[in-house]
Amino acid sequence: MTADPQTIEAAQPVSAAARLMLDHDTGAVIVTEDGRVSGIITDRDIAIRVVAADKGPDTPVADAYSGDLTSVGPDTSIAQLVQLMRSAAIRRVPVVQDERAVGIVSIGDLAIERDSDSALADISAAEGNQ
């Protein structure tokens, strides 16, 4: 799990979300509304829902993010998390406690934890390539 993940308010522009992704070498930022977790925006969301739709960088995150959020608590086991990610076909899961983001788990994190010799674990553990 990546602790203390990046967050952005839904009213902020997608350019601010993209800047957070660049500055923190991540492909996703947790979206909040009034400080409470409400979804997640990914680099793919920006590419498909903003760039490909001919919308501009001032488009609010609220118009581009995935609001159908699947999240877990800090006490969720790795086995439960793996099953959840498989069944929902998702790559990243926010870890939420008291409606606040305390972490985020990616398939890369799971690869490092469960199969450290895999190609995905090697790629996930490598330094960013900005």
PDB file of all heavy atoms in Angstrom, residues 100-121:
ATOM      1  N   ARG A 100     -11.887   9.106   4.960  1.00  0.00           N
ATOM      2  CA  ARG A 100     -10.657   9.772   4.533  1.00  0.00           C
ATOM      3  C   ARG A 100      -9.706   8.754   3.928  1.00  0.00           C
ATOM      4  O   ARG A 100      -9.594   7.620   4.403  1.00  0.00           O
ATOM      5  CB  ARG A 100      -9.956  10.447   5.713  1.00  0.00           C
ATOM      6  CG  ARG A 100     -10.831  11.395   6.489  1.00  0.00           C
ATOM      7  CD  ARG A 100     -10.772  12.779   5.894  1.00  0.00           C
ATOM      8  NE  ARG A 100     -11.518  13.711   6.726  1.00  0.00           N
ATOM      9  CZ  ARG A 100     -12.434  14.528   6.268  1.00  0.00           C
ATOM     10  NH1 ARG A 100     -12.731  14.535   4.997  1.00  0.00           N
ATOM     11  NH2 ARG A 100     -13.057  15.357   7.060  1.00  0.00           N
ATOM     12  N   ALA A 101      -8.985   9.154   2.886  1.00  0.00           N
ATOM     13  CA  ALA A 101      -8.008   8.267   2.237  1.00  0.00           C
ATOM     14  C   ALA A 101      -6.774   8.147   3.124  1.00  0.00           C
ATOM     15  O   ALA A 101      -6.167   9.150   3.484  1.00  0.00           O
ATOM     16  CB  ALA A 101      -7.625   8.821   0.880  1.00  0.00           C
ATOM     17  N   VAL A 102      -6.420   6.918   3.454  1.00  0.00           N
ATOM     18  CA  VAL A 102      -5.203   6.682   4.233  1.00  0.00           C
ATOM     19  C   VAL A 102      -4.167   5.918   3.415  1.00  0.00           C
ATOM     20  O   VAL A 102      -3.028   5.751   3.839  1.00  0.00           O
ATOM     21  CB  VAL A 102      -5.493   5.933   5.560  1.00  0.00           C
ATOM     22  CG1 VAL A 102      -6.362   6.793   6.467  1.00  0.00           C
ATOM     23  CG2 VAL A 102      -6.145   4.584   5.304  1.00  0.00           C
ATOM     24  N   GLY A 103      -4.578   5.442   2.226  1.00  0.00           N
ATOM     25  CA  GLY A 103      -3.655   4.719   1.365  1.00  0.00           C
ATOM     26  C   GLY A 103      -4.315   4.350   0.059  1.00  0.00           C
ATOM     27  O   GLY A 103      -5.495   4.626  -0.165  1.00  0.00           O
ATOM     28  N   ILE A 104      -3.527   3.742  -0.796  1.00  0.00           N
ATOM     29  CA  ILE A 104      -4.039   3.213  -2.058  1.00  0.00           C
ATOM     30  C   ILE A 104      -3.198   1.983  -2.391  1.00  0.00           C
ATOM     31  O   ILE A 104      -1.990   1.975  -2.182  1.00  0.00           O
ATOM     32  CB  ILE A 104      -4.008   4.265  -3.194  1.00  0.00           C
ATOM     33  CG1 ILE A 104      -4.755   3.767  -4.431  1.00  0.00           C
ATOM     34  CG2 ILE A 104      -2.606   4.697  -3.510  1.00  0.00           C
ATOM     35  CD1 ILE A 104      -5.056   4.847  -5.455  1.00  0.00           C
ATOM     36  N   VAL A 105      -3.871   0.937  -2.878  1.00  0.00           N
ATOM     37  CA  VAL A 105      -3.191  -0.303  -3.254  1.00  0.00           C
ATOM     38  C   VAL A 105      -3.379  -0.504  -4.749  1.00  0.00           C
ATOM     39  O   VAL A 105      -4.482  -0.384  -5.270  1.00  0.00           O
ATOM     40  CB  VAL A 105      -3.766  -1.516  -2.493  1.00  0.00           C
ATOM     41  CG1 VAL A 105      -3.057  -2.791  -2.915  1.00  0.00           C
ATOM     42  CG2 VAL A 105      -3.660  -1.321  -0.995  1.00  0.00           C
ATOM     43  N   SER A 106      -2.277  -0.789  -5.430  1.00  0.00           N
ATOM     44  CA  SER A 106      -2.325  -1.044  -6.872  1.00  0.00           C
ATOM     45  C   SER A 106      -1.973  -2.507  -7.142  1.00  0.00           C
ATOM     46  O   SER A 106      -1.440  -3.194  -6.263  1.00  0.00           O
ATOM     47  CB  SER A 106      -1.330  -0.140  -7.602  1.00  0.00           C
ATOM     48  OG  SER A 106      -0.005  -0.548  -7.305  1.00  0.00           O
ATOM     49  N   ILE A 107      -2.238  -2.940  -8.372  1.00  0.00           N
ATOM     50  CA  ILE A 107      -1.850  -4.310  -8.712  1.00  0.00           C
ATOM     51  C   ILE A 107      -0.337  -4.456  -8.641  1.00  0.00           C
ATOM     52  O   ILE A 107       0.168  -5.532  -8.332  1.00  0.00           O
ATOM     53  CB  ILE A 107      -2.392  -4.769 -10.088  1.00  0.00           C
ATOM     54  CG1 ILE A 107      -1.936  -3.845 -11.214  1.00  0.00           C
ATOM     55  CG2 ILE A 107      -3.892  -4.896 -10.061  1.00  0.00           C
ATOM     56  CD1 ILE A 107      -2.260  -4.377 -12.597  1.00  0.00           C
ATOM     57  N   GLY A 108       0.386  -3.382  -8.871  1.00  0.00           N
ATOM     58  CA  GLY A 108       1.844  -3.416  -8.732  1.00  0.00           C
ATOM     59  C   GLY A 108       2.267  -3.669  -7.288  1.00  0.00           C
ATOM     60  O   GLY A 108       3.202  -4.427  -7.025  1.00  0.00           O
ATOM     61  N   ASP A 109       1.569  -3.036  -6.348  1.00  0.00           N
ATOM     62  CA  ASP A 109       1.848  -3.278  -4.923  1.00  0.00           C
ATOM     63  C   ASP A 109       1.630  -4.747  -4.583  1.00  0.00           C
ATOM     64  O   ASP A 109       2.427  -5.357  -3.859  1.00  0.00           O
ATOM     65  CB  ASP A 109       0.936  -2.433  -4.031  1.00  0.00           C
ATOM     66  CG  ASP A 109       1.158  -0.943  -4.168  1.00  0.00           C
ATOM     67  OD1 ASP A 109       2.293  -0.526  -4.468  1.00  0.00           O
ATOM     68  OD2 ASP A 109       0.180  -0.193  -3.967  1.00  0.00           O
ATOM     69  N   LEU A 110       0.545  -5.305  -5.109  1.00  0.00           N
ATOM     70  CA  LEU A 110       0.250  -6.720  -4.842  1.00  0.00           C
ATOM     71  C   LEU A 110       1.297  -7.630  -5.472  1.00  0.00           C
ATOM     72  O   LEU A 110       1.689  -8.632  -4.876  1.00  0.00           O
ATOM     73  CB  LEU A 110      -1.140  -7.083  -5.356  1.00  0.00           C
ATOM     74  CG  LEU A 110      -2.302  -6.447  -4.600  1.00  0.00           C
ATOM     75  CD1 LEU A 110      -3.616  -6.805  -5.272  1.00  0.00           C
ATOM     76  CD2 LEU A 110      -2.305  -6.852  -3.141  1.00  0.00           C
ATOM     77  N   ALA A 111       1.754  -7.266  -6.666  1.00  0.00           N
ATOM     78  CA  ALA A 111       2.785  -8.076  -7.330  1.00  0.00           C
ATOM     79  C   ALA A 111       4.065  -8.094  -6.502  1.00  0.00           C
ATOM     80  O   ALA A 111       4.687  -9.146  -6.333  1.00  0.00           O
ATOM     81  CB  ALA A 111       3.064  -7.542  -8.731  1.00  0.00           C
ATOM     82  N   ILE A 112       4.437  -6.944  -5.986  1.00  0.00           N
ATOM     83  CA  ILE A 112       5.642  -6.864  -5.157  1.00  0.00           C
ATOM     84  C   ILE A 112       5.475  -7.710  -3.893  1.00  0.00           C
ATOM     85  O   ILE A 112       6.385  -8.430  -3.486  1.00  0.00           O
ATOM     86  CB  ILE A 112       5.965  -5.396  -4.811  1.00  0.00           C
ATOM     87  CG1 ILE A 112       6.404  -4.650  -6.071  1.00  0.00           C
ATOM     88  CG2 ILE A 112       7.031  -5.305  -3.721  1.00  0.00           C
ATOM     89  CD1 ILE A 112       6.473  -3.142  -5.906  1.00  0.00           C
ATOM     90  N   GLU A 113       4.296  -7.650  -3.300  1.00  0.00           N
ATOM     91  CA  GLU A 113       4.021  -8.386  -2.062  1.00  0.00           C
ATOM     92  C   GLU A 113       3.902  -9.889  -2.276  1.00  0.00           C
ATOM     93  O   GLU A 113       4.437 -10.683  -1.515  1.00  0.00           O
ATOM     94  CB  GLU A 113       2.722  -7.854  -1.442  1.00  0.00           C
ATOM     95  CG  GLU A 113       2.269  -8.582  -0.193  1.00  0.00           C
ATOM     96  CD  GLU A 113       3.170  -8.376   1.009  1.00  0.00           C
ATOM     97  OE1 GLU A 113       3.853  -7.336   1.081  1.00  0.00           O
ATOM     98  OE2 GLU A 113       3.201  -9.266   1.879  1.00  0.00           O
ATOM     99  N   ARG A 114       3.184 -10.291  -3.335  1.00  0.00           N
ATOM    100  CA  ARG A 114       2.857 -11.706  -3.524  1.00  0.00           C
ATOM    101  C   ARG A 114       3.811 -12.459  -4.434  1.00  0.00           C
ATOM    102  O   ARG A 114       3.945 -13.662  -4.336  1.00  0.00           O
ATOM    103  CB  ARG A 114       1.441 -11.845  -4.095  1.00  0.00           C
ATOM    104  CG  ARG A 114       0.314 -11.307  -3.245  1.00  0.00           C
ATOM    105  CD  ARG A 114       0.040 -12.042  -1.958  1.00  0.00           C
ATOM    106  NE  ARG A 114      -0.540 -13.341  -1.984  1.00  0.00           N
ATOM    107  CZ  ARG A 114      -1.826 -13.634  -2.039  1.00  0.00           C
ATOM    108  NH1 ARG A 114      -2.715 -12.696  -2.170  1.00  0.00           N
ATOM    109  NH2 ARG A 114      -2.218 -14.880  -1.987  1.00  0.00           N
ATOM    110  N   ASP A 115       4.446 -11.778  -5.389  1.00  0.00           N
ATOM    111  CA  ASP A 115       5.296 -12.450  -6.370  1.00  0.00           C
ATOM    112  C   ASP A 115       6.446 -11.528  -6.756  1.00  0.00           C
ATOM    113  O   ASP A 115       6.495 -10.996  -7.869  1.00  0.00           O
ATOM    114  CB  ASP A 115       4.471 -12.839  -7.596  1.00  0.00           C
ATOM    115  CG  ASP A 115       5.224 -13.720  -8.569  1.00  0.00           C
ATOM    116  OD1 ASP A 115       6.345 -14.162  -8.243  1.00  0.00           O
ATOM    117  OD2 ASP A 115       4.692 -13.963  -9.667  1.00  0.00           O
ATOM    118  N   SER A 116       7.362 -11.332  -5.831  1.00  0.00           N
ATOM    119  CA  SER A 116       8.419 -10.343  -6.015  1.00  0.00           C
ATOM    120  C   SER A 116       9.359 -10.640  -7.181  1.00  0.00           C
ATOM    121  O   SER A 116      10.106  -9.768  -7.612  1.00  0.00           O
ATOM    122  CB  SER A 116       9.226 -10.183  -4.727  1.00  0.00           C
ATOM    123  OG  SER A 116       9.821 -11.421  -4.378  1.00  0.00           O
ATOM    124  N   ASP A 117       9.318 -11.870  -7.715  1.00  0.00           N
ATOM    125  CA  ASP A 117      10.170 -12.227  -8.851  1.00  0.00           C
ATOM    126  C   ASP A 117       9.483 -12.011 -10.203  1.00  0.00           C
ATOM    127  O   ASP A 117      10.090 -12.258 -11.244  1.00  0.00           O
ATOM    128  CB  ASP A 117      10.621 -13.693  -8.745  1.00  0.00           C
ATOM    129  CG  ASP A 117      11.564 -13.911  -7.572  1.00  0.00           C
ATOM    130  OD1 ASP A 117      12.309 -12.977  -7.227  1.00  0.00           O
ATOM    131  OD2 ASP A 117      11.535 -15.011  -7.000  1.00  0.00           O
ATOM    132  N   SER A 118       8.244 -11.554 -10.191  1.00  0.00           N
ATOM    133  CA  SER A 118       7.516 -11.384 -11.450  1.00  0.00           C
ATOM    134  C   SER A 118       7.962 -10.128 -12.189  1.00  0.00           C
ATOM    135  O   SER A 118       8.526  -9.195 -11.606  1.00  0.00           O
ATOM    136  CB  SER A 118       6.008 -11.294 -11.173  1.00  0.00           C
ATOM    137  OG  SER A 118       5.694 -10.060 -10.546  1.00  0.00           O
ATOM    138  N   ALA A 119       7.687 -10.114 -13.472  1.00  0.00           N
ATOM    139  CA  ALA A 119       8.002  -8.939 -14.289  1.00  0.00           C
ATOM    140  C   ALA A 119       7.221  -7.726 -13.796  1.00  0.00           C
ATOM    141  O   ALA A 119       7.768  -6.618 -13.737  1.00  0.00           O
ATOM    142  CB  ALA A 119       7.680  -9.227 -15.757  1.00  0.00           C
ATOM    143  N   LEU A 120       5.951  -7.910 -13.415  1.00  0.00           N
ATOM    144  CA  LEU A 120       5.146  -6.796 -12.924  1.00  0.00           C
ATOM    145  C   LEU A 120       5.736  -6.226 -11.645  1.00  0.00           C
ATOM    146  O   LEU A 120       5.787  -5.008 -11.461  1.00  0.00           O
ATOM    147  CB  LEU A 120       3.694  -7.233 -12.702  1.00  0.00           C
ATOM    148  CG  LEU A 120       2.751  -6.147 -12.168  1.00  0.00           C
ATOM    149  CD1 LEU A 120       2.738  -4.921 -13.081  1.00  0.00           C
ATOM    150  CD2 LEU A 120       1.350  -6.703 -12.007  1.00  0.00           C
ATOM    151  N   ALA A 121       6.231  -7.081 -10.761  1.00  0.00           N
ATOM    152  CA  ALA A 121       6.857  -6.595  -9.536  1.00  0.00           C
ATOM    153  C   ALA A 121       8.120  -5.794  -9.862  1.00  0.00           C
ATOM    154  O   ALA A 121       8.360  -4.738  -9.279  1.00  0.00           O
ATOM    155  CB  ALA A 121       7.194  -7.764  -8.613  1.00  0.00           C
TER     156      ALA A 121
END
